[in-house]
Amino acid sequence: RSRVVANVLSSLLARTESVLIMGHRFGDFDSFGAAIGIARFAMLCGVHPRIVVNRQDPNLAPCFEMLSKVEDYDDIFVGAIEGMDLIRPDTLLIVVDVNNVDHVECPDIVRNVNHIVFIDHHRKTVEFTKEPEIAYIEPSASSASELVAEILEQYMASKSLLKEEAELMLAGILLDTKQFTRNTGTRTFSAALYLRGEGAIPGESNDLFRADVGDLTKEARFHTNVNIYREKIAISHVDGTADASYRVVAAKAADKLLTVKGVSASITLVTIGDKVHVSARSDGSINVQLILEYVGGGGHYDVAGAQVEGTDITAVISRLREAIDEYLDK
């Protein structure tokens, strides 16, 4: 199927000179790596793309630093407002690592373009408001970076990727597979092998995940406030309002809680701005995706997230417990 998608996508790119690429809001290494891979695909098709992303997001700072000396990316990244200004009648928007319009970096761009492509590994939970040119949605894949790597391998000649591009895509796979320990199949290793052949060095991709002392201190706040619900689900939260860096810290804390003996799933919550951010992880025996869909979230069987607006952490925890009870009792 990736070969078919590659051929159709190249045909779409041949008919336009205006291409926007966008991932989900609060981007991570997977959405960023997938966007970079699609940008290279567009460049090889003779189109100069733009990636709509929040340049101020501290969690993506290592990615921007890695590409800071790559001339091809000097003017690739644009903000949401600039992205809106770039829309033309023939603009092709390629959305990666998300298929819910409400969760993309800039929903208004999706609503104003005529041609859309979705490449995602999350389960489709809402109907499209307009029919996409391509809807390549594969929940069986480990990551969006894996799907994009397969597309590139089918279409591009060997050694067409830059080392930095390959390493960012590998980082996306490492993130969503938890260093090849979750959601990992033969396709995943095949994609990683391809990226390694394109110059990716696993050690340098892994360097993107290094945390500073401040992050370790923040993560400790979750580990000192843990409750075990229904004897197998760890729920932890941070009191008060936190800064944006806690989004990634919460995800790391949820991963770490899975190492506790007897814990089959973990959920961490933190208030950032006017939203409660929820991260959930599972060892594979509990479907955290179904639990978080109860509060408007989504994701995968063992990795899910949500952003709940207009309420507080106590109310969200109460709703999550109701969802857990309903799920486990069935």
Side-chain angles (χ1 to χ4, degrees):
R1 191 180 175 193
S2 58
R3 184 182 296 111
V4 174
V5 171
N7 290 333
V8 176
L9 184 57
S10 64
S11 297
L12 292 172
L13 289 167
R15 298 199 295 265
T16 182
E17 295 182 356
S18 175
V19 174
L20 296 176
I21 304 167
M22 184 165 56
H24 52 75
R25 192 182 302 116
F26 309 119
D28 56 24
F29 293 158
D30 187 34
S31 66
F32 192 91
I36 291 298
I38 291 298
R40 176 53 60 188
F41 187 99
M43 292 179 203
L44 290 171
C45 291
V47 183
H48 185 70
R50 300 298 180 90
I51 298 175
V52 181
V53 65
N54 180 8
R55 287 294 302 265
Q56 308 307 315
D57 190 335
N59 301 311
L60 296 179
C63 302
F64 291 122
E65 183 179 353
M66 180 176 282
L67 293 174
S68 61
K69 297 181 181 179
V70 181
E71 291 184 5
D72 287 352
Y73 290 90
D74 285 346
D75 63 345
I76 289 286
F77 303 108
V78 298
I81 295 176
E82 189 178 352
M84 285 289 293
D85 292 339
L86 292 171
I87 295 176
R88 294 173 12 184
D90 66 335
T91 294
L92 175 66
L93 172 65
I94 304 173
V95 178
V96 296
D97 201 29
V98 60
N99 63 70
N100 187 329
V101 173
D102 292 333
H103 297 162
V104 301
E105 183 67 45
C106 180
D108 286 339
I109 292 180
V110 178
R111 299 185 184 105
N112 283 277
V113 296
N114 296 321
H115 310 286
I116 307 176
V117 169
F118 288 96
I119 300 174
D120 187 25
H121 68 118
H122 298 101
R123 187 166 74 98
K124 183 181 176 185
T125 56
V126 296
E127 293 301 317
F128 297 128
T129 55
K130 62 179 70 174
E131 190 66 25
E133 306 287 341
I134 301 173
Y136 188 28
I137 299 174
E138 287 276 354
S140 61
S142 73
S143 57
S145 292
E146 176 185 310
L147 292 174
V148 173
E150 291 177 341
I151 292 171
L152 294 173
E153 186 175 14
Q154 293 295 332
Y155 185 80
M156 292 169 28
S158 178
K159 304 299 181 182
S160 295
L161 276 179
L162 299 179
K163 171 179 175 291
E164 292 84 357
E165 294 169 333
E167 286 177 352
L168 286 168
M169 293 179 66
L170 181 59
I173 294 176
L174 289 172
L175 175 73
D176 278 15
T177 62
K178 301 297 176 289
Q179 315 292 320
F180 296 111
T181 62
R182 294 279 188 273
N183 300 324
T184 306
T186 54
R187 290 174 60 183
T188 312
F189 288 109
S190 178
L193 179 62
Y194 163 71
L195 295 172
R196 182 68 181 91
E198 292 295 304
I201 299 175
E204 295 189 14
S205 293
N206 204 52
D207 283 344
L208 293 169
F209 295 86
R210 289 184 178 273
D212 57 30
V213 174
D215 288 341
L216 293 178
T217 303
K218 293 172 184 176
E219 190 176 329
R221 295 182 65 187
F222 288 97
H223 299 323
T224 56
N225 189 16
V226 181
N227 291 295
I228 305 299
Y229 188 65
R230 295 289 294 262
E231 299 182 346
K232 62 175 68 175
I233 299 179
I235 301 177
S236 176
H237 72 278
V238 169
D239 293 319
T241 301
D243 60 64
S245 66
Y246 272 83
R247 285 191 291 103
V248 174
V249 174
K252 291 179 179 178
D255 288 329
K256 187 67 66 66
L257 286 173
L258 271 186
T259 64
V260 176
K261 188 174 181 179
V263 171
S264 299
S266 60
I267 301 174
T268 55
L269 304 93
V270 60
T271 302
I272 302 175
D274 60 350
K275 296 179 182 179
V276 176
H277 290 250
V278 187
S279 293
R281 300 293 185 267
S282 166
D283 63 2
S285 63
I286 292 176
N287 190 338
V288 290
Q289 176 185 350
L290 292 180
I291 293 172
L292 261 62
E293 283 180 0
Y294 193 83
V295 294
H300 274 284
Y301 193 99
D302 53 3
V303 179
Q307 299 162 31
V308 188
E309 202 168 1
T311 185
D312 57 24
I313 278 185
T314 303
V316 176
I317 291 176
S318 178
R319 289 166 62 186
L320 286 171
R321 285 177 172 171
E322 291 175 5
I324 291 169
D325 289 339
E326 183 177 338
Y327 173 82
L328 293 179
D329 292 343
K330 283 184 178 179

